[in-house]
Amino acid sequence: SPRLSSGWSGGVCAALAMILKQNNNLSKDEDEHMEDSFYSFRRLLMSHSVWAPFSSHAVATTFQVEFVFLSSYGAFTIAHVPIAVICGIFAIGMVAYWLCAVVVLILSIVRGKLHKRMHRRALIFYSWWPILTFVLCSLSAVLGCSLGHLMWYTTEQPYYELDSLQPYSDVNPAIVPGKQMQDAGLVDFSDGVGVDRSKGGCFVSAGHTYCVAPILFTGELLAGLGNTPTFGTYDYFAVGVDCCTCPNTDFRCGDWKNPLAQGGMRSLDYRSRPFYTLAVNDWEAVYLKESRHPLFFDWVQNPHFQSAVMWHTFSSTSLLACLAPFPAAFLLTVLAANALRILVQGSVASPLDVPKPPKGLEKAWKVFFPQMLDQYEEEREQLMAMPITAAPDYGAMLVPKPVVVKSALPGVAAGV
């Protein structure tokens, strides 16, 4: 029964085999056949369909593809560097193993001339899964690295960096100088603070417009000394890229449409910071103001909520990304297994008639193609075990024998 446990069925198989050996005078060859896996009772009692050898390869390949994806994805998204390095080593090692298998296969074909018709069916059968596994693992590694790189630089790294900075609340730009807020990450400004969208600065470089607008207590920049901060400098700016015209009289960056927006997330776009500084210099020249320690923020309604959204986006995307490769790889491997089964049934591929490993590649076959090497050695043992008989003398059969004809005369014999 297929539901029997492996231990119970194994005991039954061993018992049946022992009874047959005791009650029957088995020769040495018969006893070896009884112990052989192809003729053992274990194989007879276990439920093995035609699909079994193909499905086992499909499941094994699926797990390897999933392992490579998780390792390559973790190499880019795990913040702990030693663990990330270990994940990268595992992913590279798995892909490198199957790459070496494909290289050994190509060398075997070239050096051993395995492309000949007599070896073609075995070559197709035993190269099917190594090539498929290498392709799927390589594709999985590329997808894992690409997605991990994207998630790290768009969600995870900004979250960790903002979390390492200090949060501040009820900050009044007219009282608190930017010099005291250099470690600010998430900032909730006090009531009455806003962005003057009509009096901003800009800088154009390489086809991009870098926009800045002052964050003020009254939300409006006045001429002269009106609403000038008590420390005499304007240090808080909302920033963005390609969200204004130059000259900047219509700042449209961040939550500029939201009247409830009253917070800032420290801008982590380090590549744009030099251009933001140049935009602030433009703003100083146009409006005759001074900024000694400018701080750049993304204007948002609730900076703490936006930070939590970053982590939620990363965690949910990572969960879906880690679960998605398994069913996709399993579907592809099942289709590949079914295709190989059809090829075997159509005599296009076969596990029999395995060629001899090319000289110098025997150890490589033992590492990368153990089943193929075992099949070759088994076929060779079976061939050597065949009894050797003397060849018949066909020439003697062709020589006519003399025919003795009795003579009609008594005592006289005539030979023909």
Side-chain angles (χ1 to χ4, degrees), residues 136-387:
L136 292 181
C137 286
S138 300
L139 181 61
S140 178
V142 172
L143 292 177
C145 292
S146 301
L147 183 60
H149 181 271
L150 177 65
M151 295 305 299
W152 173 258
Y153 283 103
T154 57
T155 59
E156 191 179 10
Q157 186 187 35
Y159 173 81
Y160 283 127
E161 193 162 352
L162 288 173
D163 187 63
S164 65
L165 298 174
Q166 294 297 322
Y168 291 94
S169 59
D170 198 21
V171 175
N172 189 340
I175 301 175
V176 182
K179 186 177 181 179
Q180 299 179 8
M181 301 285 291
Q182 294 298 314
D183 60 346
L186 305 177
V187 177
D188 287 310
F189 293 100
S190 59
D191 295 338
V193 175
V195 177
D196 192 344
R197 296 178 46 244
S198 63
K199 296 182 179 65
C202 61
F203 183 81
V204 179
S205 175
H208 295 288
T209 303
Y210 299 88
C211 312
V212 298
I215 301 175
L216 308 167
F217 175 66
T218 59
E220 183 180 0
L221 181 66
L222 301 179
L225 298 178
N227 73 353
T228 301
T230 57
F231 46 90
T233 177
Y234 297 84
D235 292 338
Y236 299 86
F237 292 88
V239 297
V241 181
D242 295 332
C243 49
C244 69
T245 58
C246 204
N248 185 5
T249 58
D250 188 15
F251 183 82
R252 300 182 303 276
C253 306
D255 288 347
W256 64 277
K257 285 185 178 181
N258 189 353
L260 300 179
Q262 204 168 352
M265 299 176 62
R266 189 73 172 268
S267 176
L268 302 177
D269 188 0
Y270 297 103
R271 294 182 179 180
S272 299
R273 281 190 181 180
F275 303 106
Y276 291 149
T277 303
L278 294 174
V280 170
N281 294 337
D282 170 75
W283 177 82
E284 290 177 321
V286 172
Y287 298 101
L288 302 178
K289 304 295 182 181
E290 183 181 5
S291 178
R292 297 175 186 172
H293 305 284
L295 299 176
F296 305 127
F297 295 93
D298 296 322
W299 189 248
V300 296
Q301 176 181 351
N302 190 335
H304 297 277
F305 175 77
Q306 295 297 329
S307 177
V309 168
M310 285 184 182
W311 179 254
H312 176 74
T313 302
F314 165 73
S315 57
S316 58
T317 304
S318 298
L319 179 61
L320 293 177
C322 293
L323 295 178
F326 191 89
F330 184 72
L331 176 62
L332 291 176
T333 53
V334 166
L335 293 176
N338 189 45
L340 180 59
R341 182 175 62 87
I342 294 174
L343 293 178
V344 172
Q345 292 176 348
S347 298
V348 178
S350 173
L352 305 178
D353 299 329
V354 178
K356 180 181 179 180
K359 187 176 181 180
L361 296 178
E362 295 86 354
K363 293 183 179 180
W365 274 39
K366 190 174 183 180
V367 174
F368 299 106
F369 301 100
Q371 294 180 349
M372 192 174 181
L373 183 61
D374 292 343
Q375 182 65 25
Y376 164 75
E377 293 177 349
E378 183 177 349
E379 291 179 356
R380 185 172 178 273
E381 291 178 1
Q382 293 177 357
L383 183 62
M384 297 298 293
M386 293 179 62

Side-chain angles (χ1 to χ4, degrees), residues 28-189:
K28 181 179 179 181
D29 292 339
E30 291 172 339
D31 184 70
E32 290 179 355
H33 281 303
M34 184 69 71
E35 296 294 337
D36 190 19
S37 60
F38 288 98
Y39 301 92
S40 64
F41 283 98
R42 181 185 297 272
R43 290 297 183 102
L44 294 177
L45 291 180
M46 293 178 63
S47 176
H48 287 282
S49 64
V50 180
W51 181 254
F54 304 99
S55 60
S56 61
H57 280 288
V59 173
T61 302
T62 300
F63 277 102
Q64 293 180 65
V65 171
E66 177 71 16
F67 175 78
V68 170
F69 181 86
L70 292 178
S71 300
S72 56
Y73 184 79
F76 281 86
T77 57
I78 295 178
H80 197 55
V81 176
I83 298 179
V85 172
I86 293 174
C87 290
I89 292 175
F90 281 152
I92 295 174
M94 181 67 73
V95 176
Y97 174 85
W98 290 111
L99 175 61
C100 293
V102 174
V103 171
V104 170
L105 180 64
I106 295 175
L107 292 177
S108 301
I109 294 174
V110 174
R111 297 177 59 179
K113 299 180 180 180
L114 304 186
H115 59 278
K116 293 183 178 180
R117 186 185 182 115
M118 58 185 300
H119 304 314
R120 192 173 301 167
R121 294 193 304 167
L123 182 64
I124 294 175
F125 183 86
Y126 288 103
S127 63
W128 186 268
W129 289 110
I131 294 177
L132 179 67
T133 306
F134 168 69
V135 172
L136 292 181
C137 286
S138 300
L139 181 61
S140 178
V142 172
L143 292 177
C145 292
S146 301
L147 183 60
H149 181 271
L150 177 65
M151 295 305 299
W152 173 258
Y153 283 103
T154 57
T155 59
E156 191 179 10
Q157 186 187 35
Y159 173 81
Y160 283 127
E161 193 162 352
L162 288 173
D163 187 63
S164 65
L165 298 174
Q166 294 297 322
Y168 291 94
S169 59
D170 198 21
V171 175
N172 189 340
I175 301 175
V176 182
K179 186 177 181 179
Q180 299 179 8
M181 301 285 291
Q182 294 298 314
D183 60 346
L186 305 177
V187 177
D188 287 310
F189 293 100

